[in-house]
Amino acid sequence: DVKVTQSSRYLVKRTGEKVFLECVQDMDHENMFWYRQDPGLGLRLIYFSYDVKMKEKGDIPEGYSVSREKKERFSLILESASTNQTSMYLCASSSPRGGRPQETQYFGPGTRLLVL
Amino acid sequence: DAKTTQPNSMESNEEEPVHLPCNHSTISGTDYIHWYRQLPSQGPEYVIHGLTSNVNNRMASLAIAEDRKSSTLILHRATLRDAAVYYCILRPPLGNTGKLIFGQGTTLQVKP
């Protein structure tokens, strides 16, 4: 079974802190994604990556950056956390590189981040 | 991106079949229809997908209308564990970023 793990289930940070959210997948998938999920807004794509050291902006990249130094790991970075970044963050992975319309994405359990 | 429309919520009794509808009247000829579900406090999980023909797997069945403007996810015997938000998603052909566009989904409540 594909496993996508996220470093924390719950996280509390203060405004202005630098926050790292880590995601690891164990199926050698090329594609990795970071979404955030908010009530009434559904899931929105923040960043994605098709390969090591590759990154592409999603729909809402402002205030975030990412890092993909190894194939299995995709990190989301909040350079200076703000209260409007309080959300559920979901990581996903898939294969093959670039995706196909019939490919499926595998999600991690999510990190619920609260910024005070 | 083609949009989908789903009812906000549905109720079912345990061990009865559930039919979850999805309208996608602007679907293109090459869009795949995917269904995901999200259990409480978990990330979404894949359920099933199809293009034109009806599909079955161990979790559910997918019935696709002949004109492809709608589809129905069928849970043959709902269990309490099936209570979740169900998302109907269209996947365009290669060339898309690969991202999934989630709508609001249908919240399924299963009563014992």
Side-chain angles (χ1 to χ4, degrees):
Chain A
D1 277 352
V2 175
K3 194 164 185 184
V4 180
T5 56
Q6 295 184 226
S7 49
S8 305
R9 290 301 303 271
Y10 300 94
L11 210 51
V12 180
K13 295 292 181 181
R14 298 211 171 270
T15 302
E17 279 192 79
K18 190 168 186 175
V19 182
F20 293 87
L21 302 182
E22 303 283 339
C23 175
V24 178
Q25 50 92 5
D26 65 359
M27 282 302 290
D28 203 35
H29 282 172
E30 291 84 356
N31 311 318
M32 297 189 75
F33 306 82
W34 275 107
Y35 297 86
R36 64 177 280 179
Q37 183 173 30
D38 301 286
L41 296 176
L43 274 77
R44 294 178 289 169
L45 182 67
I46 305 171
Y47 266 97
F48 60 100
S49 169
Y50 288 155
D51 205 346
V52 176
K53 298 195 186 294
M54 271 193 65
K55 59 184 178 183
E56 298 281 347
K57 291 180 180 179
D59 298 319
I60 50 164
E62 297 78 20
Y64 302 94
S65 62
V66 290
S67 173
R68 189 141 181 227
E69 296 296 317
K70 294 185 178 181
K71 191 175 185 180
E72 68 270 18
R73 187 180 298 270
F74 192 35
S75 303
L76 180 69
I77 303 153
L78 286 65
E79 295 290 342
S80 177
S82 63
T83 54
N84 63 13
Q85 292 178 310
T86 291
S87 186
M88 167 74 94
Y89 289 87
L90 291 158
C91 175
S93 73
S94 70
S95 185
R97 184 179 187 279
R100 294 288 187 272
Q102 59 270 55
E103 54 95 2
T104 62
Q105 288 188 16
Y106 297 87
F107 285 81
T111 295
R112 194 169 291 280
L113 172 67
L114 173 61
V115 182
L116 299 173
Chain B
D1 295 320
K3 292 185 71 172
T4 62
T5 305
Q6 300 176 252
N8 287 332
S9 61
M10 291 184 66
E11 281 187 1
S12 171
N13 293 318
E14 198 176 9
E15 298 189 4
E16 289 186 357
V18 183
H19 291 232
L20 297 162
C22 181
N23 287 318
H24 28 78
S25 58
T26 60
I27 191 171
S28 77
T30 49
D31 286 348
Y32 277 74
I33 301 160
H34 285 243
W35 284 81
Y36 282 72
R37 73 179 185 180
Q38 187 171 18
L39 302 172
S41 301
Q42 295 188 29
E45 64 174 343
Y46 166 79
V47 177
I48 200 167
H49 76 273
L51 182 61
T52 55
S53 304
N54 294 344
V55 184
N56 299 294
N57 67 21
R58 63 176 179 81
M59 289 181 71
S61 296
L62 177 61
I64 301 173
E66 200 167 327
D67 63 5
R68 297 198 347 115
K69 293 184 185 299
S70 66
S71 60
T72 303
L73 180 71
I74 302 165
L75 307 179
H76 295 287
R77 282 182 75 230
T79 69
L80 296 178
R81 197 193 171 278
D82 291 321
V85 181
Y86 286 80
Y87 297 97
C88 170
I89 298 166
L90 300 182
R91 298 297 307 279
L94 183 64
N96 179 260
T97 60
K99 69 179 181 182
L100 294 177
I101 300 173
F102 286 78
Q104 297 307 306
T106 297
T107 300
L108 175 65
Q109 186 180 5
V110 180
K111 296 184 288 186

